[in-house]
Amino acid sequence: MKIRIGIYGYGNLGRGIENAVRQNPDMTLAAVFTRRDPATLKIGTPDVPVCHVDDVIQYTDKIDVMILCGGSATDLPKQTPELAKMFTVIDSFDTHAKIPEHFANVDTAAKESGKIAMISVGWDPGMFSVNRLYAGAILPEGKDYTFWGKGVSQGHSDAIRRIEGVLDAKQYTIPVDSALEAVRSGAAPELTTRQKHTRECFVVATEDADKARIEKEIKEMPNYFADYDTTVHFISAEELARNHSGIPHGGFVIRSGKTGAASENTHVIEYSLKLDSNPEFTASVIVAYARAAYKMALAGDCGCKTVFDVPPAYLSTKSAEELRAELL
Amino acid sequence: MKIRIGIYGYGNLGRGIENAVRQNPDMTLAAVFTRRDPATLKIGTPDVPVCHVDDVIQYTDKIDVMILCGGSATDLPKQTPELAKMFTVIDSFDTHAKIPEHFANVDTAAKESGKIAMISVGWDPGMFSVNRLYAGAILPEGKDYTFWGKGVSQGHSDAIRRIEGVLDAKQYTIPVDSALEAVRSGAAPELTTRQKHTRECFVVATEDADKARIEKEIKEMPNYFADYDTTVHFISAEELARNHSGIPHGGFVIRSGKTGAASENTHVIEYSLKLDSNPEFTASVIVAYARAAYKMALAGDCGCKTVFDVPPAYLSTKSAEELRAELL
């Protein structure tokens, strides 16, 4: 009996989930839910029903884990608590500052329905969070660093696109090599925002646009660019399509800490990701945690959970015996 | 109320545990147990009783978690099941091939006594195992690599010391840079033992020793050296003491895998450790898992556990709310 997965929202992440489910032999895609007219949506898996979100209640007996693929700004704060009333659910809510509020709302709904609802799964929040926790617990006298990139920031790309005279844009977040090396040395440096990352922008402007003004507006944009060293390149739409169509990302979680009678020994723990496709990797993490959510639900647990609550063994298709014999 | 820790065996690892306990404000060292005459043992913490192992039964009400610091060859296979009859215990059993057998023995004892017994905690087995599990679950179509070093292998150093004419020796295991880079590129290369690691030996020989014969014996030693490119340096006892007295170690767990409709995207997950002191870092991992063992025992669970069974949150001193707000 395979784990029956539902996909709620079919954008980049939803397509990533669809592909990831195909790589996991213990799972099957049961249905895809969309706000669009289902007749207009072509999905990658044959013979899987595409349904309107309004009909989701008819699927409570046909889906073991519903994976919510909406955005964190407006979709998930509403959808996750709502769907947790009917399904075991999992989302990738990634507005770090609002996680406690989202948790509380989802927990209330999931405890009422007796379902498992897992939130904020992916790589950050997600695998990076787990690694911050492990490293901090192991080296209590230490210092944490998270670097992102090299990768595309959707939010920063969107911010550039809103500037007058900009047709399209792609923004890369890039960790500063010398900062990474200083952290890896165990020196535990104090680093400013500017010292940790640079930002590189590829911008397609209208023919008559004032490029100097656009560049100035980007570089001085508060929160997004003002605190960083930013490079702006104006390129053609063709070049953007040819060289910047991917969605790579990645990053580094590093903790250095001291041990010993006189804190004389230094240790460095590093976790890093180098990803060709941010949404596909996020989807792969979510699908592994969907398995865990399914196991927790089977065990009779309920309420809102995060990656911190999941024993690693729950993520695997292997039995406890196999894991001990093969991976320990 | 602090978690009362007992240390059973006071060598390098035991001293590491003692130092690590001091870094964790929710723990206190309750007693140290030794096979030696307790009167002859000086420990680093004032006012903590040093007791003979024969008296351990008198401490069942005074210790929350007993940390076993013996060796995997002969100590732990006997001690862990025995002490699991009386205490919540944790060990660092690291003979990978014998883990299933050790697990079975410890599990039987711990289930009879109703105690938690956690085995094979450290960094390999331990944190490396957890990372192999996470990465494999996230990227099912992929390939795992573990590299060790640069670091001192006690077993290989001991093997050299057993050769006639050798007074002392230190062996470093060194990962091959080009192999590491090939793995990090996502190329998923097939690598032989020889291609992954080299071995470097620093040997102090007797004055009249036949150095050519010693070098040959090292390089041809089956299992230990024959499958590797090995370099042998003959140095003085003074130089060995001056430049090679540390016990550094570390390594890399890397998995690369594919996702996408046509497996067109490659992802690389890497976890690495750079450790000034192998026993002190191992001790730091064990102490964090001792906290988890304590929480599992409080929750009423029993039996043998491994790092695969522990939700990350159990390792931390922080509450679930704090973890979500600060680390997720």
CSV table of all heavy atoms in Angstrom, one decimal, chain A residues 23 103 125 129 132-134 138 141 184 258-260 265-266 268 270 272 274 276 280 284 308 313 315 324 327-328, chain B residues 23 103 125 129 132 134 138 141 184 258-260 265-266 268 270 272 274 276 280 284 308 312-313 315 324 327-328:
chain,number,residue,atom,x,y,z
A,23,GLN,N,10.2,9.5,-7.8
A,23,GLN,CA,11.5,8.9,-7.4
A,23,GLN,C,11.4,8.1,-6.1
A,23,GLN,O,12.4,7.5,-5.7
A,23,GLN,CB,12.6,10.0,-7.1
A,23,GLN,CG,13.0,10.8,-8.4
A,23,GLN,CD,14.1,11.8,-8.1
A,23,GLN,OE1,13.9,12.6,-7.2
A,23,GLN,NE2,15.2,11.7,-8.9
A,103,PHE,N,2.6,28.6,13.4
A,103,PHE,CA,2.5,27.3,14.2
A,103,PHE,C,1.3,27.3,15.1
A,103,PHE,O,0.6,26.3,15.1
A,103,PHE,CB,3.8,27.2,15.0
A,103,PHE,CG,3.9,26.0,15.9
A,103,PHE,CD1,4.5,24.8,15.4
A,103,PHE,CD2,3.3,25.9,17.1
A,103,PHE,CE1,4.5,23.7,16.1
A,103,PHE,CE2,3.3,24.7,17.9
A,103,PHE,CZ,3.9,23.6,17.3
A,125,PRO,N,13.6,27.7,5.9
A,125,PRO,CA,13.7,26.8,7.0
A,125,PRO,C,13.7,25.3,6.5
A,125,PRO,O,13.1,25.0,5.5
A,125,PRO,CB,12.4,27.1,7.8
A,125,PRO,CG,11.5,27.8,6.8
A,125,PRO,CD,12.4,28.5,5.8
A,129,SER,N,17.9,24.7,9.3
A,129,SER,CA,17.4,24.8,10.7
A,129,SER,C,17.9,23.6,11.6
A,129,SER,O,18.4,23.8,12.7
A,129,SER,CB,15.9,24.9,10.8
A,129,SER,OG,15.4,25.6,9.7
A,132,ARG,N,21.5,23.9,12.2
A,132,ARG,CA,21.8,24.9,13.3
A,132,ARG,C,21.5,24.3,14.7
A,132,ARG,O,22.3,24.5,15.6
A,132,ARG,CB,20.9,26.2,13.1
A,132,ARG,CG,21.4,27.0,11.9
A,132,ARG,CD,20.6,28.4,11.9
A,132,ARG,NE,19.3,28.2,11.3
A,132,ARG,CZ,18.9,28.5,10.0
A,132,ARG,NH1,19.8,29.0,9.2
A,132,ARG,NH2,17.7,28.4,9.6
A,133,LEU,N,20.4,23.5,14.8
A,133,LEU,CA,20.1,22.9,16.1
A,133,LEU,C,21.2,21.9,16.5
A,133,LEU,O,21.7,22.0,17.6
A,133,LEU,CB,18.7,22.3,16.0
A,133,LEU,CG,18.0,22.0,17.3
A,133,LEU,CD1,16.6,21.6,17.0
A,133,LEU,CD2,18.7,20.9,18.1
A,134,TYR,N,21.5,21.0,15.6
A,134,TYR,CA,22.5,19.9,15.9
A,134,TYR,C,23.8,20.6,16.4
A,134,TYR,O,24.4,20.3,17.4
A,134,TYR,CB,22.8,19.0,14.7
A,134,TYR,CG,21.8,17.9,14.5
A,134,TYR,CD1,21.1,17.8,13.3
A,134,TYR,CD2,21.7,16.9,15.5
A,134,TYR,CE1,20.2,16.7,13.1
A,134,TYR,CE2,20.8,15.8,15.3
A,134,TYR,CZ,20.1,15.7,14.1
A,134,TYR,OH,19.2,14.7,13.9
A,138,ILE,N,25.7,20.5,20.1
A,138,ILE,CA,27.0,19.8,20.2
A,138,ILE,C,28.1,20.8,20.7
A,138,ILE,O,28.9,20.4,21.6
A,138,ILE,CB,27.4,19.2,18.9
A,138,ILE,CG1,26.4,18.1,18.5
A,138,ILE,CG2,28.8,18.6,19.0
A,138,ILE,CD1,26.6,17.6,17.1
A,141,GLU,N,29.5,26.4,23.4
A,141,GLU,CA,30.4,27.6,23.3
A,141,GLU,C,30.8,27.8,21.9
A,141,GLU,O,31.9,27.4,21.5
A,141,GLU,CB,31.6,27.4,24.2
A,141,GLU,CG,31.3,27.5,25.7
A,141,GLU,CD,32.6,27.4,26.5
A,141,GLU,OE1,33.7,27.7,26.0
A,141,GLU,OE2,32.4,27.0,27.7
A,184,ARG,N,35.4,29.4,8.4
A,184,ARG,CA,35.9,28.0,8.3
A,184,ARG,C,37.1,27.8,9.1
A,184,ARG,O,37.5,26.8,9.6
A,184,ARG,CB,36.2,27.6,6.9
A,184,ARG,CG,34.9,27.2,6.1
A,184,ARG,CD,35.3,26.6,4.8
A,184,ARG,NE,34.1,26.4,4.0
A,184,ARG,CZ,34.0,26.8,2.8
A,184,ARG,NH1,34.9,27.5,2.2
A,184,ARG,NH2,32.8,26.5,2.2
A,258,LYS,N,34.4,25.9,20.8
A,258,LYS,CA,35.6,25.5,21.6
A,258,LYS,C,35.2,24.4,22.6
A,258,LYS,O,34.1,24.4,23.1
A,258,LYS,CB,36.1,26.7,22.4
A,258,LYS,CG,36.4,28.0,21.6
A,258,LYS,CD,37.8,27.9,21.0
A,258,LYS,CE,38.2,29.2,20.3
A,258,LYS,NZ,39.5,29.0,19.7
A,259,THR,N,36.2,23.6,22.8
A,259,THR,CA,36.1,22.6,23.9
A,259,THR,C,37.4,22.5,24.6
A,259,THR,O,38.4,23.1,24.2
A,259,THR,CB,35.8,21.2,23.4
A,259,THR,OG1,36.9,20.7,22.6
A,259,THR,CG2,34.5,21.1,22.6
A,260,GLY,N,37.4,21.7,25.7
A,260,GLY,CA,38.7,21.5,26.5
A,260,GLY,C,38.7,22.2,27.8
A,260,GLY,O,37.9,23.1,28.0
A,265,ASN,N,40.7,23.9,22.3
A,265,ASN,CA,40.5,23.2,21.0
A,265,ASN,C,39.3,23.8,20.3
A,265,ASN,O,38.2,24.1,20.8
A,265,ASN,CB,40.3,21.7,21.3
A,265,ASN,CG,41.5,21.0,21.7
A,265,ASN,OD1,42.6,21.2,21.1
A,265,ASN,ND2,41.5,20.2,22.7
A,266,THR,N,39.5,24.0,19.0
A,266,THR,CA,38.5,24.5,18.1
A,266,THR,C,37.9,23.5,17.1
A,266,THR,O,38.7,22.6,16.6
A,266,THR,CB,39.1,25.7,17.3
A,266,THR,OG1,39.6,26.7,18.2
A,266,THR,CG2,38.0,26.3,16.4
A,268,VAL,N,35.0,22.9,13.8
A,268,VAL,CA,34.2,23.5,12.8
A,268,VAL,C,33.3,22.5,12.2
A,268,VAL,O,33.7,21.5,11.7
A,268,VAL,CB,35.0,24.2,11.7
A,268,VAL,CG1,34.1,24.9,10.7
A,268,VAL,CG2,36.0,25.2,12.3
A,270,GLU,N,30.3,22.1,9.4
A,270,GLU,CA,29.8,22.8,8.2
A,270,GLU,C,28.8,21.9,7.4
A,270,GLU,O,29.0,20.7,7.2
A,270,GLU,CB,30.9,23.2,7.3
A,270,GLU,CG,30.5,23.8,6.0
A,270,GLU,CD,31.6,24.4,5.2
A,270,GLU,OE1,32.7,24.6,5.7
A,270,GLU,OE2,31.4,24.7,4.0
A,272,SER,N,26.5,22.2,3.8
A,272,SER,CA,26.4,23.0,2.7
A,272,SER,C,25.5,22.3,1.6
A,272,SER,O,25.5,21.1,1.5
A,272,SER,CB,27.7,23.5,2.1
A,272,SER,OG,28.4,22.4,1.5
A,274,LYS,N,24.5,22.7,-2.7
A,274,LYS,CA,24.8,23.3,-4.0
A,274,LYS,C,23.7,22.7,-4.9
A,274,LYS,O,23.7,21.5,-5.2
A,274,LYS,CB,26.2,22.9,-4.5
A,274,LYS,CG,26.7,23.8,-5.5
A,274,LYS,CD,28.2,23.5,-5.8
A,274,LYS,CE,28.4,22.1,-6.4
A,274,LYS,NZ,29.8,21.7,-6.5
A,276,ASP,N,21.1,22.8,-8.2
A,276,ASP,CA,20.7,23.3,-9.6
A,276,ASP,C,19.3,23.9,-9.6
A,276,ASP,O,19.1,24.8,-10.4
A,276,ASP,CB,20.8,22.1,-10.6
A,276,ASP,CG,22.1,21.9,-11.2
A,276,ASP,OD1,23.1,22.7,-10.8
A,276,ASP,OD2,22.3,20.9,-12.0
A,280,GLU,N,13.0,22.3,-6.9
A,280,GLU,CA,13.1,20.8,-7.0
A,280,GLU,C,13.7,20.2,-5.7
A,280,GLU,O,13.3,19.2,-5.2
A,280,GLU,CB,13.8,20.3,-8.2
A,280,GLU,CG,12.9,20.4,-9.5
A,280,GLU,CD,13.6,19.9,-10.7
A,280,GLU,OE1,14.6,19.3,-10.7
A,280,GLU,OE2,13.0,20.2,-11.8
A,284,SER,N,12.0,17.8,-2.8
A,284,SER,CA,12.6,16.6,-2.4
A,284,SER,C,12.7,16.5,-0.9
A,284,SER,O,12.4,15.4,-0.3
A,284,SER,CB,14.0,16.4,-3.0
A,284,SER,OG,14.0,16.3,-4.4
A,308,PHE,N,12.2,19.9,13.6
A,308,PHE,CA,12.9,19.6,14.9
A,308,PHE,C,12.3,18.4,15.7
A,308,PHE,O,12.9,17.8,16.5
A,308,PHE,CB,12.8,20.8,15.8
A,308,PHE,CG,13.5,22.0,15.3
A,308,PHE,CD1,13.1,23.3,15.7
A,308,PHE,CD2,14.6,21.9,14.5
A,308,PHE,CE1,13.7,24.4,15.2
A,308,PHE,CE2,15.3,23.1,14.0
A,308,PHE,CZ,14.8,24.3,14.4
A,313,ALA,N,15.0,8.6,11.4
A,313,ALA,CA,14.6,7.4,10.8
A,313,ALA,C,13.2,7.5,10.1
A,313,ALA,O,13.0,6.7,9.1
A,313,ALA,CB,14.5,6.3,11.9
A,315,LEU,N,12.2,9.5,8.1
A,315,LEU,CA,12.3,10.1,6.7
A,315,LEU,C,12.6,9.0,5.7
A,315,LEU,O,12.5,9.2,4.5
A,315,LEU,CB,13.5,11.1,6.6
A,315,LEU,CG,13.3,12.3,7.5
A,315,LEU,CD1,14.6,13.2,7.4
A,315,LEU,CD2,12.1,13.1,7.2
A,324,ARG,N,20.4,0.7,10.7
A,324,ARG,CA,21.5,0.4,11.6
A,324,ARG,C,22.6,-0.4,10.9
A,324,ARG,O,23.8,-0.1,11.1
A,324,ARG,CB,21.0,-0.4,12.9
A,324,ARG,CG,20.2,0.5,13.8
A,324,ARG,CD,20.0,-0.2,15.2
A,324,ARG,NE,19.2,-1.4,15.0
A,324,ARG,CZ,17.9,-1.5,15.2
A,324,ARG,NH1,17.2,-0.4,15.5
A,324,ARG,NH2,17.2,-2.6,15.1
A,327,LEU,N,23.7,2.2,7.4
A,327,LEU,CA,24.0,3.7,7.5
A,327,LEU,C,24.7,4.1,8.8
A,327,LEU,O,25.3,5.2,8.8
A,327,LEU,CB,22.8,4.5,7.2
A,327,LEU,CG,22.2,4.4,5.8
A,327,LEU,CD1,21.0,5.4,5.7
A,327,LEU,CD2,23.2,4.8,4.8
A,328,LEU,N,24.5,3.3,9.9
A,328,LEU,CA,25.1,3.8,11.1
A,328,LEU,C,26.6,3.7,11.2
A,328,LEU,O,27.3,4.6,11.4
A,328,LEU,CB,24.4,3.0,12.3
A,328,LEU,CG,24.6,3.6,13.7
A,328,LEU,CD1,24.0,5.0,13.8
A,328,LEU,CD2,24.0,2.7,14.8
B,23,GLN,N,30.3,22.6,30.1
B,23,GLN,CA,29.8,23.6,29.2
B,23,GLN,C,28.3,23.6,29.0
B,23,GLN,O,27.7,24.4,28.3
B,23,GLN,CB,30.4,23.3,27.8
B,23,GLN,CG,31.9,23.6,27.7
B,23,GLN,CD,32.4,23.4,26.3
B,23,GLN,OE1,32.2,22.4,25.7
B,23,GLN,NE2,33.1,24.4,25.7
B,103,PHE,N,23.4,-3.9,19.3
B,103,PHE,CA,22.1,-3.4,19.5
B,103,PHE,C,21.2,-4.5,20.1
B,103,PHE,O,20.4,-4.2,21.1
B,103,PHE,CB,21.5,-3.0,18.1
B,103,PHE,CG,20.1,-2.4,18.3
B,103,PHE,CD1,19.9,-1.0,18.4
B,103,PHE,CD2,19.0,-3.2,18.2
B,103,PHE,CE1,18.6,-0.5,18.6
B,103,PHE,CE2,17.7,-2.7,18.4
B,103,PHE,CZ,17.5,-1.3,18.5
B,125,PRO,N,30.4,6.2,14.0
B,125,PRO,CA,29.0,6.4,13.8
B,125,PRO,C,28.5,7.6,14.7
B,125,PRO,O,29.1,7.9,15.7
B,125,PRO,CB,28.4,5.1,14.4
B,125,PRO,CG,29.4,4.5,15.3
B,125,PRO,CD,30.7,4.9,14.7
B,129,SER,N,26.4,9.4,10.4
B,129,SER,CA,25.3,8.5,10.1
B,129,SER,C,24.0,9.2,9.8
B,129,SER,O,23.3,9.0,8.9
B,129,SER,CB,25.1,7.5,11.2
B,129,SER,OG,26.4,7.1,11.8
B,132,ARG,N,24.2,10.8,6.5
B,132,ARG,CA,24.0,9.9,5.4
B,132,ARG,C,22.5,9.6,5.3
B,132,ARG,O,21.9,9.5,4.2
B,132,ARG,CB,24.7,8.6,5.7
B,132,ARG,CG,26.2,8.7,5.5
B,132,ARG,CD,26.9,7.4,5.6
B,132,ARG,NE,27.1,6.9,6.9
B,132,ARG,CZ,28.2,7.0,7.6
B,132,ARG,NH1,29.3,7.5,7.1
B,132,ARG,NH2,28.3,6.6,8.9
B,134,TYR,N,19.7,11.5,6.3
B,134,TYR,CA,19.0,12.7,5.8
B,134,TYR,C,19.2,12.8,4.2
B,134,TYR,O,18.3,12.9,3.5
B,134,TYR,CB,19.5,14.0,6.4
B,134,TYR,CG,18.9,14.3,7.8
B,134,TYR,CD1,19.6,14.4,8.9
B,134,TYR,CD2,17.5,14.5,7.9
B,134,TYR,CE1,19.1,14.8,10.1
B,134,TYR,CE2,16.9,14.9,9.1
B,134,TYR,CZ,17.7,15.0,10.2
B,134,TYR,OH,17.2,15.3,11.4
B,138,ILE,N,16.5,12.4,1.1
B,138,ILE,CA,16.1,13.6,0.3
B,138,ILE,C,16.4,13.4,-1.1
B,138,ILE,O,15.6,13.8,-2.0
B,138,ILE,CB,16.9,14.9,0.8
B,138,ILE,CG1,16.4,15.2,2.3
B,138,ILE,CG2,16.7,16.0,-0.1
B,138,ILE,CD1,17.2,16.2,3.0
B,141,GLU,N,17.7,9.2,-5.8
B,141,GLU,CA,18.6,8.9,-6.9
B,141,GLU,C,19.9,9.6,-6.8
B,141,GLU,O,20.1,10.7,-7.3
B,141,GLU,CB,17.9,9.3,-8.2
B,141,GLU,CG,16.8,8.5,-8.7
B,141,GLU,CD,16.2,9.0,-10.0
B,141,GLU,OE1,16.9,9.6,-10.8
B,141,GLU,OE2,15.0,8.7,-10.2
B,184,ARG,N,32.3,16.6,-5.2
B,184,ARG,CA,31.6,17.9,-5.0
B,184,ARG,C,31.0,18.5,-6.3
B,184,ARG,O,30.1,19.2,-6.3
B,184,ARG,CB,32.5,19.0,-4.5
B,184,ARG,CG,32.8,18.8,-3.0
B,184,ARG,CD,33.5,20.0,-2.5
B,184,ARG,NE,33.8,19.9,-1.1
B,184,ARG,CZ,35.1,20.0,-0.6
B,184,ARG,NH1,36.1,20.2,-1.4
B,184,ARG,NH2,35.3,19.8,0.7
B,258,LYS,N,20.2,13.4,-8.4
B,258,LYS,CA,19.5,14.1,-9.5
B,258,LYS,C,18.0,14.2,-9.2
B,258,LYS,O,17.4,13.4,-8.5
B,258,LYS,CB,19.6,13.2,-10.7
B,258,LYS,CG,21.0,12.8,-11.2
B,258,LYS,CD,21.6,14.0,-12.0
B,258,LYS,CE,23.0,13.6,-12.6
B,258,LYS,NZ,23.6,14.7,-13.3
B,259,THR,N,17.4,15.3,-9.7
B,259,THR,CA,16.0,15.5,-9.7
B,259,THR,C,15.5,16.0,-11.1
B,259,THR,O,16.3,16.3,-11.9
B,259,THR,CB,15.5,16.5,-8.6
B,259,THR,OG1,16.0,17.8,-9.0
B,259,THR,CG2,16.0,16.1,-7.2
B,260,GLY,N,14.2,16.1,-11.2
B,260,GLY,CA,13.7,16.7,-12.4
B,260,GLY,C,13.0,15.6,-13.3
B,260,GLY,O,13.2,14.4,-13.2
B,265,ASN,N,18.6,17.9,-13.2
B,265,ASN,CA,19.2,18.8,-12.2
B,265,ASN,C,20.0,18.0,-11.2
B,265,ASN,O,19.6,17.0,-10.7
B,265,ASN,CB,18.2,19.6,-11.5
B,265,ASN,CG,17.6,20.7,-12.5
B,265,ASN,OD1,18.4,21.4,-13.1
B,265,ASN,ND2,16.3,20.8,-12.6
B,266,THR,N,21.2,18.5,-10.8
B,266,THR,CA,22.1,17.9,-9.9
B,266,THR,C,22.2,18.7,-8.6
B,266,THR,O,22.2,19.9,-8.7
B,266,THR,CB,23.5,17.8,-10.5
B,266,THR,OG1,23.4,17.0,-11.7
B,266,THR,CG2,24.5,17.1,-9.5
B,268,VAL,N,24.1,18.8,-4.6
B,268,VAL,CA,25.2,18.2,-3.8
B,268,VAL,C,24.9,18.7,-2.3
B,268,VAL,O,24.8,19.9,-2.0
B,268,VAL,CB,26.6,18.7,-4.2
B,268,VAL,CG1,27.7,18.1,-3.3
B,268,VAL,CG2,26.8,18.4,-5.7
B,270,GLU,N,26.6,18.4,1.4
B,270,GLU,CA,27.9,18.1,2.1
B,270,GLU,C,27.8,18.5,3.6
B,270,GLU,O,27.4,19.5,4.0
B,270,GLU,CB,29.0,18.9,1.4
B,270,GLU,CG,30.3,18.7,2.1
B,270,GLU,CD,31.5,19.3,1.2
B,270,GLU,OE1,31.3,19.6,0.0
B,270,GLU,OE2,32.6,19.4,1.8
B,272,SER,N,30.6,18.5,6.8
B,272,SER,CA,32.0,18.2,7.1
B,272,SER,C,32.3,18.7,8.5
B,272,SER,O,31.7,19.5,9.1
B,272,SER,CB,32.9,19.0,6.1
B,272,SER,OG,32.8,20.3,6.3
B,274,LYS,N,35.8,19.6,11.1
B,274,LYS,CA,37.2,19.9,11.2
B,274,LYS,C,37.5,20.0,12.7
B,274,LYS,O,37.1,21.0,13.3
B,274,LYS,CB,37.6,21.1,10.4
B,274,LYS,CG,39.0,21.2,10.0
B,274,LYS,CD,39.3,22.4,9.1
B,274,LYS,CE,39.0,23.7,9.8
B,274,LYS,NZ,39.0,24.9,8.9
B,276,ASP,N,39.8,19.8,16.2
B,276,ASP,CA,41.2,19.8,16.9
B,276,ASP,C,41.4,18.6,17.7
B,276,ASP,O,42.5,18.2,17.9
B,276,ASP,CB,41.3,21.1,17.7
B,276,ASP,CG,41.8,22.3,17.0
B,276,ASP,OD1,42.1,22.2,15.8
B,276,ASP,OD2,41.9,23.4,17.6
B,280,GLU,N,37.4,15.0,22.3
B,280,GLU,CA,36.6,16.0,22.9
B,280,GLU,C,35.4,16.3,22.1
B,280,GLU,O,34.3,16.6,22.6
B,280,GLU,CB,37.4,17.3,23.1
B,280,GLU,CG,38.4,17.2,24.2
B,280,GLU,CD,39.2,18.5,24.5
B,280,GLU,OE1,38.9,19.5,23.9
B,280,GLU,OE2,40.1,18.4,25.2
B,284,SER,N,31.5,15.8,23.1
B,284,SER,CA,30.4,16.8,23.0
B,284,SER,C,29.2,16.3,22.4
B,284,SER,O,28.0,16.7,22.7
B,284,SER,CB,31.0,18.0,22.2
B,284,SER,OG,32.1,18.6,22.9
B,308,PHE,N,19.4,7.7,15.0
B,308,PHE,CA,18.3,7.7,14.0
B,308,PHE,C,17.0,7.9,14.7
B,308,PHE,O,16.0,8.3,14.1
B,308,PHE,CB,18.3,6.4,13.2
B,308,PHE,CG,19.5,6.2,12.4
B,308,PHE,CD1,19.9,4.9,12.0
B,308,PHE,CD2,20.3,7.3,11.9
B,308,PHE,CE1,21.1,4.7,11.2
B,308,PHE,CE2,21.4,7.1,11.1
B,308,PHE,CZ,21.8,5.8,10.8
B,312,PRO,N,15.6,15.9,16.7
B,312,PRO,CA,16.7,16.9,16.9
B,312,PRO,C,16.4,17.7,18.2
B,312,PRO,O,17.3,18.1,19.0
B,312,PRO,CB,16.7,17.7,15.7
B,312,PRO,CG,16.2,16.8,14.6
B,312,PRO,CD,15.3,15.8,15.2
B,313,ALA,N,15.1,18.1,18.4
B,313,ALA,CA,14.7,19.0,19.5
B,313,ALA,C,15.2,18.4,20.8
B,313,ALA,O,15.5,19.2,21.8
B,313,ALA,CB,13.2,19.2,19.5
B,315,LEU,N,17.9,17.2,21.7
B,315,LEU,CA,19.3,17.5,22.0
B,315,LEU,C,19.5,18.8,22.6
B,315,LEU,O,20.6,19.1,23.2
B,315,LEU,CB,20.1,17.5,20.7
B,315,LEU,CG,20.1,16.2,19.9
B,315,LEU,CD1,20.8,16.3,18.6
B,315,LEU,CD2,20.7,15.0,20.7
B,324,ARG,N,11.7,27.1,17.7
B,324,ARG,CA,11.0,27.6,16.5
B,324,ARG,C,11.2,29.0,16.2
B,324,ARG,O,11.4,29.5,15.1
B,324,ARG,CB,9.5,27.3,16.6
B,324,ARG,CG,9.1,25.8,16.5
B,324,ARG,CD,7.6,25.6,16.4
B,324,ARG,NE,6.9,26.1,17.6
B,324,ARG,CZ,6.6,25.3,18.6
B,324,ARG,NH1,6.9,24.0,18.6
B,324,ARG,NH2,5.9,25.8,19.6
B,327,LEU,N,15.7,29.3,15.8
B,327,LEU,CA,16.5,28.5,14.9
B,327,LEU,C,15.9,28.0,13.6
B,327,LEU,O,16.5,27.6,12.7
B,327,LEU,CB,17.1,27.3,15.6
B,327,LEU,CG,18.1,27.5,16.8
B,327,LEU,CD1,18.5,26.2,17.4
B,327,LEU,CD2,19.3,28.3,16.3
B,328,LEU,N,14.5,28.0,13.6
B,328,LEU,CA,13.8,27.4,12.4
B,328,LEU,C,13.9,28.4,11.3
B,328,LEU,O,14.3,28.1,10.2
B,328,LEU,CB,12.4,27.2,12.8
B,328,LEU,CG,11.6,26.3,11.7
B,328,LEU,CD1,12.2,24.9,11.6
B,328,LEU,CD2,10.1,26.2,12.1
